[in-house]
Amino acid sequence: MHAYDGELGAAVARAQEGDEAAFAVAYRLVQPGLLGYLRGLVGNDAEDVASDAWLEIARDLGRFKGDGAGFRGWSATIARHRALDHLRRQKVRPRSSALEQDVLDLPGAYSTYDQALESISTEHALELVRGLPRDQAEAVLLRVVVGLDAPAAARVLGKRPGAVRTAAYRGLKRLAKQLGGEGVTDDGPRTLGESK
């Protein structure tokens, strides 16, 4: 559970009543995780796909029913559908990703040096996740990056919660093994649509 789910739920409720500032709050709370998830799916095209997803989210917001955690799951489902549509339209092998820093540059107590190190770490982590089998990568991205629980991630993927928990566990175990030095390869970054 994210600490901001209460704030997100309240913002979504106000946004459904037409409060544009509340919609901006919901966007700021959800977009970083959603963008990280999409980077794992479509690489450099993540921002374009996220824009398409947010257009649909804004259009259909009045039909959403649920709380903050439900909104994160609902928006992840929409983003996933837009990503899969994007990959189908490409009809060619998706391009590899050279990740860029998140769109939002929220003010913080971090120095530029700290932010650069964090960006490099995030890029490296997403490269490792993209190297996982697709089911494991999506489960890890939804559970860790987007922050969904197993039932919500299962709804996004159209699978059982146990299958998602297992895929996330296997993916995280494989990542831990790679970070321990075993199984690390020099393969370039890939998106989830590519096969080995």
Side-chain angles (χ1 to χ4, degrees), residues 4-30 54 61 64 66-69 71:
Y4 58 75
D5 277 347
E7 179 184 357
L8 178 58
V12 169
R14 289 191 320 271
Q16 288 178 313
E17 296 170 358
D19 185 340
E20 291 180 21
F23 186 82
V25 169
Y27 174 86
R28 281 193 302 272
L29 292 173
V30 173
W54 279 105
L61 185 62
F64 170 75
D67 58 5
F71 183 76

